[in-house]
């Protein structure tokens, strides 16, 4: 049994009592947000992206956050939500507006409700107009608001499909978002120009669609003449999001087919020592420590192929490709570099031994050690 020291979440939060992370999916221009109450370790994830699930889950696990809910600001038309995947991995609630009438939602939300995480909460504000089910989540002290697609940085969500209505959106933004304190920081679900955050004061002054004295007539006239093409993934994304991101194929597999591979927040595929020990006869193990280390007092994992890291590039062809490859070293650091090198060379079924030989030793797994020389 390896004793794991709880991660110092307060340090990750910079000494604050609230941890806040903004994550980005470049392909769809989507922002995902992680918030956690530091004293209790409970957190929420807002607007996750299906393909980014391994990244998000790794961050939650590495920081030791107890995820209580995965929230979507609306049923997206440009990407598939990762809520169902996160629910499967952590048992967190799936939160979405009840008005969206999506399946698999375990936390249907309505205007005025609160989503609690530890000693903090998000206030739910209905902000329809882009879609009927758009929500804005406002932090309890009104310092932050997550506006989805209702209000973007210097823009707003379109109103020409999915129950959109420009008059409704104007009232939602002005009454529910721009009514917040001027200092309130606004975080959108999307941006395609690298703009990460705005504020109520800025959008009142500079939003081209409804700021700087523009009224409802100006806003509606602007929105009704946008003539935008539909999102290119709408045919895939919208039906999937009305299932909360659950795949339509019952046989769909989310894990690697050869083992319980997890990606670290750094993006590295890893497997645990206990699983490797139980499946050694189905794997190729590659030890990238120096020859002196392999023959030294730390010992070696039985059956390992020893290729020191400096020799890996020249000797990579020696590694059999018929079985998955697990790379190891003393701590998992040098083997991480080796794993990345093998991935670049086209090996698809390869992973790092998490924690390296230190983890193997700590769990009391079998090792071969050199026989002492008689004196």
């Amino acid at each position: 049994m390896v004793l794991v020291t709880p991660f110092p979440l307060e340090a990750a939060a910079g000494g604050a009592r609230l941890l806040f992370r903004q994550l980005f999916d470049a392909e769809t221009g989507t922002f995902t947000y992680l918030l956690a109450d530091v004293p209790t370790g409970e957190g929420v994830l807002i607007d996750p992206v299906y393909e980014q699930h391994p990244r998000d889950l790794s961050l939650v696990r590495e920081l030791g956050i107890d995820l209580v809910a995965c929230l979507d600001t609306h049923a997206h038309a440009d990407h598939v939500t990762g809520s169902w995947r996160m629910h499967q991995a952590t048992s967190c609630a799936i939160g979405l507006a009840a008005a969206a009438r999506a399946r698999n939602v375990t936390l249907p939300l309505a205007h005025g409700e609160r989503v609690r995480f530890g000693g903090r909460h998000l206030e739910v504000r209905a902000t329809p107009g882009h879609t009927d089910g758009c929500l804005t989540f406002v932090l309890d002290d009104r310092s932050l608001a997550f506006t989805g697609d209702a209000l973007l940085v210097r823009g707003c969500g379109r109103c020409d499909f999915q129950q959109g209505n420009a008059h409704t959106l104007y009232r939602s933004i002005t009454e529910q978002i721009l009514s917040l304190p001027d200092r309130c920081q606004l975080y959108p679900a999307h941006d395609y120009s690298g703009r990460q955050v705005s504020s109520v004061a800025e959008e009142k002054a500079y939003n081209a669609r409804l700021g700087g004295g523009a009224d409802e007539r100006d806003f509606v006239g602007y929105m009704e003449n946008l003539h935008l093409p539909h999102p290119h993934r709408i045919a895939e994304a919208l039906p999937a999001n009305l299932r909360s991101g659950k795949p339509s194929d019952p046989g769909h597999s989310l894990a690697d087919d050869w083992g319980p591979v997890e990606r670290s927040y750094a993006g590295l595929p890893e497997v645990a020592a206990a699983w490797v020990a139980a499946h050694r006869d189905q794997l190729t193990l590659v030890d990238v420590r120096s020859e002196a280390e392999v023959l030294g007092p730390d010992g070696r994992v039985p059956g390992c192929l020893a290729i020191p890291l400096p020799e890996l590039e020249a000797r990579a062809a020696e590694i059999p490709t018929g079985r998955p490859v697990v790379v190891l070293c003393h701590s998992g650091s040098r083997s991480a570099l080796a794993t990345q090198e093998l991935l670049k060379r086209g090996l698809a079924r390869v992973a790092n031994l998490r924690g390296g030989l230190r983890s193997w030793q700590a769990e009391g797994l079998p090792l071969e050690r050199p026989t002492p020389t008689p004196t």
Side-chain angles (χ1 to χ4, degrees):
M1 173 71 74
V2 179
L3 297 178
V4 179
T5 303
F7 188 85
L9 194 56
E10 184 177 3
R17 294 175 66 83
L18 179 77
L19 177 132
F20 174 60
R21 291 285 186 273
Q22 183 182 47
L23 307 166
F24 186 61
D25 178 62
E27 183 176 344
T28 62
T30 303
F31 290 117
T32 297
Y33 301 97
L34 176 66
L35 294 89
D37 176 50
V38 169
T40 64
E42 291 189 352
V44 294
L45 192 69
I46 301 173
D47 287 335
V49 175
Y50 187 93
E51 291 81 4
Q52 295 290 355
H53 170 75
R55 176 202 68 185
D56 299 346
L57 180 61
S58 296
L59 181 58
V60 167
R61 285 177 170 168
E62 288 181 10
L63 297 183
I65 293 170
D66 178 13
L67 200 66
V68 299
C70 204
L71 310 173
D72 279 294
T73 52
H74 61 295
H76 307 273
D78 46 12
H79 72 272
V80 178
T81 176
S83 287
W84 182 82
R85 293 188 73 176
M86 193 61 73
H87 169 73
Q88 291 295 104
T90 68
S91 299
C92 68
I94 297 176
L96 181 69
R101 297 183 292 278
R103 299 192 297 278
N104 304 308
V105 173
T106 62
L107 184 64
L109 298 170
H111 182 79
E113 294 183 340
R114 294 179 175 183
V115 178
R116 298 186 181 278
F117 56 107
R120 308 300 299 264
H121 71 264
L122 292 171
E123 176 193 349
V124 178
R125 294 194 173 195
T127 48
H130 172 58
T131 76
D132 275 354
C134 281
L135 301 175
T136 289
F137 299 112
V138 181
L139 191 61
D140 44 34
D141 62 2
R142 299 192 173 185
S143 61
L144 309 175
F146 303 91
T147 58
D149 283 2
L151 183 63
L152 306 174
V153 177
R154 305 300 193 267
C156 65
R158 59 196 295 172
C159 304
D160 57 341
F161 68 93
Q162 210 178 342
Q163 314 96 35
N165 183 283
H167 293 280
T168 301
L169 184 57
Y170 178 83
R171 291 190 289 271
S172 291
I173 294 172
T174 55
E175 296 173 9
Q176 300 298 332
I177 300 176
L178 298 186
S179 61
L180 290 164
D182 281 355
R183 62 178 174 80
C184 182
Q185 302 292 286
L186 304 178
Y187 289 91
H190 295 282
D191 192 87
Y192 308 100
S193 302
R195 296 167 298 196
Q196 298 172 292
V197 61
S198 186
S199 67
V200 169
E202 287 176 77
E203 296 308 313
K204 282 181 178 177
Y206 301 120
N207 191 294
R209 303 182 184 185
L210 75 170
D215 60 17
E216 187 169 344
R217 293 170 302 169
D218 299 312
F219 179 78
V220 172
Y222 189 116
M223 299 304 295
E224 289 183 347
N225 287 279
L226 281 176
H227 307 305
L228 298 172
H230 275 200
H232 73 279
R233 291 187 63 186
I234 187 171
E236 169 199 0
L238 193 52
N241 289 329
L242 293 178
R243 301 188 301 269
S244 302
K246 182 177 181 179
S248 57
D249 177 7
H252 183 86
S253 175
L254 300 177
D256 289 73
D257 59 2
W258 63 270
V261 179
E262 296 180 356
R263 287 191 178 268
S264 70
Y265 188 51
L268 187 73
E270 297 181 322
V271 286
W275 182 86
V276 173
H279 297 82
R280 270 187 300 168
D281 60 340
Q282 302 166 32
L283 306 168
T284 295
L285 275 59
V286 179
D287 190 332
V288 297
R289 293 177 298 158
S290 68
E291 182 179 3
E293 289 176 282
V294 170
L295 300 176
D298 285 341
R300 60 182 289 174
V301 177
C304 267
L305 174 63
I307 302 180
L309 181 59
E311 302 174 19
L312 182 64
E313 185 175 356
R315 297 178 56 190
E318 297 177 25
I319 301 174
T321 57
R323 297 187 292 182
V325 175
V326 175
V327 192
L328 63 101
C329 67
H330 173 248
S331 67
S333 174
R334 284 170 288 172
S335 55
L337 181 60
T339 300
Q340 291 170 338
E341 174 62 28
L342 293 177
L343 286 168
K344 290 177 184 176
R345 296 179 72 91
L347 270 72
R349 300 189 300 168
V350 59
N352 190 40
L353 178 65
R354 185 185 304 120
L357 202 64
R358 293 182 61 200
S359 175
W360 192 277
Q361 292 170 330
E363 297 198 31
L365 299 170
L367 284 168
E368 292 179 346
R369 298 184 186 275
T371 303
T373 304
T375 55

